Amino acid sequence: MKKTKVPPVPEGAEAANTEVVELGMAGAVAAAVSAGAVTAEAADSMAVTAVEAKTEAGAAEEKPGPAAGYTAAGGQIHAQEQASRHNINFRGPAADFFEGALLGNGGLGVVVTTRPDAVILHFGHNNVWDIRIAEHHAEEIMTFQEVYDRFTALPADLPQLTDNPWYREYCEMAGDNYSKPYPRPMPCGSLLLRFDRRRAEVLGHTVHIGEGRCTVDFLVGGEPAVFELFVEMEQDRLWMSVIDTATGAQLPLFHEARLIPDPKTPQEFPPAHWDDAAAGRLSFTQILPHMEFPASPYIPHERDKAFRLALRLPGAEIISGSDTARLDISVNSGGFLACAELQEGFAAQIGAEGAGVESTAAEAEDAGPAVEAGTTPGAGPRTVTETGPETGLGSEAGVHLMTDVVPVFGAQPESGARAGAEPVTGVGVAAVMGSPTRTQYSRMYSDRSPGQSLVAAPHIA
């Protein structure tokens, strides 16, 4: 390190140097200058040299290492390592909405709440709004100049401006449109996952900031288990699984799943439409009218919006005789693995994507793996598609996608995923559960027929 050359120190400098140590730099320099022991120029040089030496020594002693969130080269902050030091932990059930764990990808948002007998996931999206706008009194609203002219003509001796009838009535009229509860963000429904509280107990949850995932800790039959959730970065999908902490094997924790439309949906909206249910698949669609007062019965408008909340749970069966669609998953003794997806957009588009979706068992078996482990920690699996419409749980490709969750994710974990192994991350979930590697996906891509989507390609050998 380059040192600043210090000029010869006149008589009395040794005493000044001693004071630097005893009094500190600022006090010592001031004392030396006032006593005439050193000149101001010499004092400045001494201060610079001492500060440089202290800085160099402090940097060598105090510079954090990689474990403290810094990389070895350049001292740059490693964002993921730094974030992983600040996980959010909550002990016990978090039944209140504002106590729940937050997950999302910038579009889709999920609040994970827990209670002694169930886990409830509340869904929302930045693009899903009650889009109605009140535009009354259009002919009565003045321009800025007209309002200014009327305002300046008001008597100067008014105790309050609202004492003037015109001003009071105009403010009430102009504020009428803003008194409506819309436009506003629109809740997108909830997913209830019920478990038997006699054999399972919620211990708490953790939001892993550095990995973008949430884990809910359970005791199942007296043994520790983890309910893991993460949201894809590029698709509005939430993936869920329950694993045995000791072995990494999937567990059948929940015995019932239920989709619940938002109970505070405006009454003037068309009621939520339950799409045709099939084994292990459940979804509803909610229309968001453009018109402030939609006709009854509902008449579609080209600017209407909509969203669909869909759940895919391989192996589950629909409970018969229920008008509120639910899934009975108690028969799924092989473990719990599920995916929920939110689709949003114009109502005509959302309705077309869900119309006429049929899938037979044979077609599902012919569909190839469509889930790839994300390359970004916490990103989770993502759909592998070609250029064109994205796949979704409400589309035929989406049916194949979720049907393939069983062979893709259902494999038992490798020997490394046993007790004492590294914690499972958003990427690790796919790897531990048997997700194909990038090499396998490359081979699958090259083996597909011309124009064939990857979601319909043959299974990887």
Side-chain angles (χ1 to χ4, degrees), residues 107-126:
L108 174 66
V110 183
V111 178
V112 182
T113 62
T114 55
R115 64 188 199 190
D117 66 334
V119 175
I120 304 179
L121 312 178
H122 304 281
F123 293 84
H125 198 284
N126 283 343

Side-chain angles (χ1 to χ4, degrees), residues 205-421:
H205 70 254
T206 300
V207 179
H208 301 265
I209 302 296
E211 300 167 349
R213 66 188 178 104
C214 172
T215 54
V216 182
D217 296 318
F218 279 88
L219 281 180
V220 180
E223 299 296 330
V226 174
F227 176 41
E228 184 175 29
L229 312 93
F230 63 89
V231 175
E232 290 190 36
M233 292 184 65
E234 298 179 0
Q235 302 290 339
D236 294 328
R237 296 194 186 101
L238 172 73
W239 292 85
M240 302 163 276
S241 69
V242 179
I243 59 175
D244 185 296
T245 303
T247 66
Q250 295 183 40
L251 293 179
L253 171 62
F254 303 106
H255 65 79
E256 179 183 305
R258 179 182 176 188
L259 286 180
I260 307 173
D262 180 41
K264 294 185 179 180
T265 299
Q267 296 183 354
E268 56 268 31
F269 278 19
H273 171 72
W274 290 96
D275 304 317
D276 292 339
R281 188 177 77 251
L282 179 67
S283 66
F284 73 85
T285 301
Q286 177 64 61
I287 301 293
L288 307 173
H290 167 74
M291 303 297 294
E292 184 179 7
F293 302 105
S296 181
Y298 167 68
I299 300 176
H301 189 281
E302 62 178 2
R303 298 181 66 181
D304 288 348
K305 296 291 188 70
F307 70 87
R308 174 182 293 112
L309 181 60
L311 173 68
R312 184 66 176 174
L313 192 56
E317 297 178 358
I318 298 294
I319 297 177
S320 60
S322 175
D323 56 354
T324 57
R326 293 181 296 173
L327 294 173
D328 183 2
I329 57 181
S330 59
V331 297
N332 188 8
S333 58
F336 177 85
L337 179 70
C339 178
E341 180 181 32
L342 185 68
Q343 295 174 297
E344 50 79 22
F346 284 103
Q349 176 187 1
I350 299 298
E353 290 178 354
V357 176
E358 299 292 340
S359 177
T360 64
E363 290 173 339
E365 291 178 359
D366 290 337
V371 178
E372 177 187 8
T375 57
T376 303
R382 62 186 62 175
T383 309
V384 183
T385 61
E386 296 182 297
T387 303
E390 298 176 347
T391 60
L393 297 187
S395 64
E396 185 174 1
V399 174
H400 293 309
L401 166 67
M402 281 307 304
T403 305
D404 288 330
V405 167
V406 176
V408 173
F409 285 88
Q412 292 299 319
E414 302 295 337
S415 57
R418 302 296 176 183

Side-chain angles (χ1 to χ4, degrees), residues 40-76:
E41 292 77 6
D44 290 341
S45 298
M46 293 166 57
V48 171
T49 303
V51 169
E52 289 179 344
K54 184 177 180 180
T55 302
E56 183 177 5
E61 295 176 0
E62 301 175 5
K63 182 178 178 180
Y70 286 75
T71 59
Q76 298 297 319

Side-chain angles (χ1 to χ4, degrees), residues 83-121:
S84 65
R85 301 168 60 195
H86 302 283
N87 293 338
I88 301 175
N89 300 294
F90 189 94
R91 298 299 90 189
D96 186 85
F97 182 88
F98 295 100
E99 294 176 337
L102 299 179
L103 292 175
N105 59 10
L108 174 66
V110 183
V111 178
V112 182
T113 62
T114 55
R115 64 188 199 190
D117 66 334
V119 175
I120 304 179
L121 312 178

